[in-house]
Amino acid sequence: MSERKKVTIRDLFDKAARGEPITWLTCYDYPTAYFQEQAGVDMILVGDSLGMTMLGYDGTLPVTMEDMIRHTQAVRRGAPTAFLVGDMPYMSYQPSNETAIRNAGRFMAEANCDAIKLEGGGEMAERIRAIVNAGIPAIGHLGLTPQSVAALGGFRVQGKGARQAKKIIDDAKLVEEAGAFAILLEMVPDRVTKIITERAKDCLIMSLGSGPHAHGQLLIFHDMFGLYPKFKPRMAKVYGNAGEVILNGLKQYVKEVTNREFPQRENWFTIKDEEYEELLAMLDE
Ligand code: KIV
């Protein structure tokens, strides 16, 4: 295990103040969390994208709080010091302030999170304020917000036109004023991100496909390693093709078992001769 001290909000702001970009990845399970912790990733998001990457749904809407809590607990066991963010799933915060506070509280109490993230701009300011007033650090999410993908007309860049860009900039201000300590911008043009970052007073701006002018970067783990077979978004950089490695290994396994090349002597266990003789004698009795 790494010797790193627990990453806090203060550490994240200090890093930004030093001009060092913050690293942030999605993660949904124990072994991946273990590797991310060893690699020194600052922040981990247990995203409701797990609906697609782990559960095989076409989108994030079917994901429940139970799904989120179970995966977030596993991630925390693998990454004890990373700054852990739980992603509020669809309808876990939209209905009322009370629903939002209760579900945000579950992430903190049951999964030992450091913060929660929720999608939406000015219309969600009241929810953010309620969560923050309950003592729970909150992160906003603007631009492409997957829970509203139907209303946004698909997975596409948000803020390409001046009016839409202005709305995202205004929303960022409202979300910061509501108390969010960070905002994730997903698929927002780089120069719009720059304006938001420059205007942020006490708020970390994080980018997912939104360019370099942010305090930090987020990537979806499965896109980085070829582990999501349905598609790879343009914004994702592939750092290795683990999917191909796994598929090749699986094909090899099927071939070796079929050809009786597996198992080999080192892959099974034996019983001592005397114990075996005694066993046969017992069976003959
Ligand atoms: O669920 C998720 O992983 C997210 C990212 C797309 C930002 O919210």
Side-chain angles (χ1 to χ4, degrees), residues 77-124:
R77 286 191 281 269
T81 71
F83 190 91
L84 183 61
V85 183
D87 200 13
M88 304 279 289
Y90 187 56
M91 287 302 144
S92 69
Y93 58 100
Q94 290 93 339
S96 67
N97 286 352
E98 189 184 331
T99 315
I101 295 169
R102 281 196 191 286
N103 285 319
R106 287 193 63 189
F107 275 111
M108 308 301 280
E110 296 176 38
N112 200 5
C113 277
D114 298 298
I116 58 86
K117 173 176 88 58
L118 77 176
E119 298 182 9
E123 73 286 359
M124 283 300 143

Side-chain angles (χ1 to χ4, degrees), residues 148-252:
S148 317
V149 74
L152 296 175
F155 289 90
R156 55 179 63 185
V157 179
Q158 301 294 311
K160 278 173 100 171
R163 287 168 74 94
Q164 202 188 29
K166 170 79 165 52
K167 162 107 174 65
I168 297 173
I169 292 168
D170 291 344
D171 275 337
K173 187 159 186 286
L174 293 170
V175 167
E176 176 174 358
E177 284 171 358
F181 77 92
I183 297 173
L184 171 67
L185 300 178
E186 179 171 352
M187 290 177 78
V188 169
D190 57 347
R191 285 186 287 182
V192 179
T193 300
K194 186 163 187 279
I195 293 172
I196 294 172
T197 306
E198 284 167 357
R199 291 186 176 193
K201 291 199 172 68
D202 199 18
C203 192
L204 299 169
I205 305 302
M206 304 295 293
S207 158
L208 172 57
S210 301
H213 310 295
H215 299 112
Q217 298 292 326
L218 170 68
L219 273 184
I220 308 286
F221 175 82
H222 280 56
D223 296 336
M224 297 170 72
F225 292 102
L227 288 170
Y228 188 63
K230 286 191 178 167
F231 64 84
K232 182 197 89 64
R234 189 174 83 88
M235 61 196 173
K237 177 171 175 186
V238 178
Y239 285 82
N241 202 333
E244 195 175 287
V245 171
I246 291 169
L247 182 61
N248 287 340
L250 292 172
K251 285 180 179 167
Q252 184 69 13

Side-chain angles (χ1 to χ4, degrees), residues 24-28 45-53 60 68 87-88 117-119 141 144-147 155 184-186 208 218-221 223 235:
W24 195 11
L25 292 178
T26 63
C27 183
Y28 320 98
L45 171 68
V46 183
D48 63 354
S49 52
L50 69 79
M52 298 156 87
T53 54
T60 58
M68 293 304 302
D87 200 13
M88 304 279 289
K117 173 176 88 58
L118 77 176
E119 298 182 9
H141 181 169
L144 178 76
T145 45
Q147 291 173 16
F155 289 90
L184 171 67
L185 300 178
E186 179 171 352
L208 172 57
L218 170 68
L219 273 184
I220 308 286
F221 175 82
D223 296 336
M235 61 196 173

Side-chain angles (χ1 to χ4, degrees), residues 18-94:
R18 291 194 301 270
E20 295 172 21
I22 296 163
T23 54
W24 195 11
L25 292 178
T26 63
C27 183
Y28 320 98
D29 59 73
Y30 169 82
T32 312
Y34 178 84
F35 289 130
Q36 292 193 10
E37 172 91 15
Q38 298 306 303
V41 171
D42 296 313
M43 296 174 71
I44 290 179
L45 171 68
V46 183
D48 63 354
S49 52
L50 69 79
M52 298 156 87
T53 54
M54 302 300 288
L55 303 178
Y57 296 128
D58 285 334
T60 58
L61 303 197
V63 175
T64 65
M65 273 302 294
E66 267 52 49
D67 295 330
M68 293 304 302
I69 294 289
R70 173 59 66 93
H71 283 268
T72 310
Q73 288 169 334
V75 170
R76 178 48 100 200
R77 286 191 281 269
T81 71
F83 190 91
L84 183 61
V85 183
D87 200 13
M88 304 279 289
Y90 187 56
M91 287 302 144
S92 69
Y93 58 100
Q94 290 93 339

Side-chain angles (χ1 to χ4, degrees), residues 256-257 259-270:
E256 288 186 7
V257 172
N259 297 343
R260 299 187 185 283
E261 291 164 38
F262 177 89
Q264 293 292 319
R265 176 64 193 83
E266 67 271 20
N267 305 121
W268 69 69
F269 304 92
T270 57

